[in-house]
Amino acid sequence: MRFRTVAASGIALAAMLGATGCGHPSYDERMQYLDKVSQEGIDYRVKLYEQKTAPSKDACAIGYELLDQSPPRDDDLGSTAKWLDRVEEAYIKSCMTGELKPKPDVDGVDAVTAVPITAPPAAPSASASPAT
C-alpha cells in the first residue's frame, strides 16, 4: 500500500513539473526574446522617423517604457536585474542604431554603431512581388 502512495506521488510530481516546466528558459529562448525586443526597438525607430523625431537615447527609452513586455526568466527565482537591464539595452541600442544586434558598449546603452540619421529608414517596396 505504501509503495502505491509513493508511486502515485511521484507520478503527480512528474506531471506537475512537466506541465509547469522545470528550471528557466534555455539560452536560445532568451536570445530569441532579445531578438524580438530588438526588432521592436527598430520598429519604434521607424515610428520616430514618421513623427520627425531623431532616434535618441531618451526617445528610445520612452519607447521602451511604453513597451508591454514579459521577458522570460533567466534563473529559477525569476528575472535578475542584470537580465532585465540586458533586455532594455537590446531595445534601446536597436532603436538608436537600426541594427538587430549592435556592437556591445562597455559604458551601457550608448550605441557604438550608430546609423546616421540623415534619412529615414527605407520602407519595403510595395511593388515588389514574390517570385512564383
Side-chain angles (χ1 to χ4, degrees):
M1 184 85 154
R2 184 174 199 152
F3 177 71
R4 279 191 251 167
T5 304
V6 171
S9 298
I11 291 171
L13 179 62
M16 183 180 76
L17 288 175
T20 61
C22 60
H24 52 276
S26 71
Y27 175 81
D28 288 337
E29 291 169 323
R30 292 192 314 268
M31 293 307 102
Q32 286 174 356
Y33 183 79
L34 283 181
D35 286 346
K36 176 183 169 258
V37 167
S38 293
Q39 184 58 54
E40 289 174 355
I42 293 169
D43 295 344
Y44 189 72
R45 175 185 175 87
V46 172
K47 291 178 185 177
L48 289 173
Y49 274 117
E50 289 171 356
Q51 298 172 9
K52 299 183 183 354
T53 303
S56 67
K57 182 178 175 181
D58 292 335
C60 292
I62 290 170
Y64 180 76
E65 290 173 11
L66 297 172
L67 189 64
D68 182 24
Q69 61 164 326
S70 55
R73 302 177 342 190
D74 67 330
D75 69 15
D76 292 332
L77 300 175
S79 296
T80 62
K82 184 176 180 180
W83 166 243
L84 296 176
D85 288 346
R86 188 169 182 190
V87 171
E88 181 177 8
E89 181 180 1
Y91 180 92
I92 292 175
K93 280 186 176 182
S94 293
C95 175
M96 290 174 61
T97 65
E99 296 178 358
L100 190 59
K101 294 187 182 203
K103 292 178 185 170
D105 178 18
V106 295
D107 294 327
V109 297
D110 293 327
V112 173
T113 57
V115 175
I117 54 175
T118 56
S125 174
S127 63
S129 60
T132 56

